Amino acid sequence: MPDVLVNDARVMSKGQVTIPKNIRAALGISTGDRVTFIFENGTVKVVNSAVYAMQKFQEQMKGEAQKAGFNSEDDVAEWITASRREENEE
């Protein structure tokens, strides 16, 4: 897929716009999915809401695993296993 896709669409009376098929494919969205509009410095970005939410979450959580003592995937897996054991014992 190219790095830049350019397409246009007409704004209807209620402010609705049909996102062109090639843009929907590039965003990984389909019927029923949500999009997020980001207005910044006079430019609007349209992004897949699920992807955007995950990116924001990852930004917020950056460094938190190390603060909690998780230094590897094995540490996380061990914590999950221990947590599940505790739940089953209750």
Side-chain angles (χ1 to χ4, degrees), residues 6 10-11 22-23 28 37 45-46 56 69-70 74 77 88:
V6 177
R10 181 173 309 227
V11 178
N22 63 334
I23 303 296
F37 295 88
K45 296 179 186 177
V46 180
K56 295 310 263 180
F70 299 120
D74 289 338
N88 290 333

Side-chain angles (χ1 to χ4, degrees), residues 70 73-87:
F70 299 120
E73 289 183 25
D74 289 338
D75 291 344
V76 174
E78 289 173 17
W79 178 80
I80 290 170
T81 300
S83 296
R84 287 181 178 158
R85 279 192 200 121
E86 290 174 11
E87 287 178 5

Side-chain angles (χ1 to χ4, degrees), residues 54-68:
M54 182 56 72
Q55 289 170 340
K56 295 310 263 180
F57 177 71
Q58 288 172 334
E59 288 173 16
Q60 291 174 339
M61 296 305 294
K62 189 173 186 173
E64 293 299 316
Q66 288 179 327
K67 288 180 191 175

Side-chain angles (χ1 to χ4, degrees), residues 1-21:
M1 180 147 314
D3 290 338
V4 176
L5 294 172
V6 177
N7 213 320
D8 65 345
R10 181 173 309 227
V11 178
M12 304 310 281
S13 63
K14 293 184 180 181
Q16 297 170 325
V17 175
T18 298
I19 302 170
K21 186 176 181 177

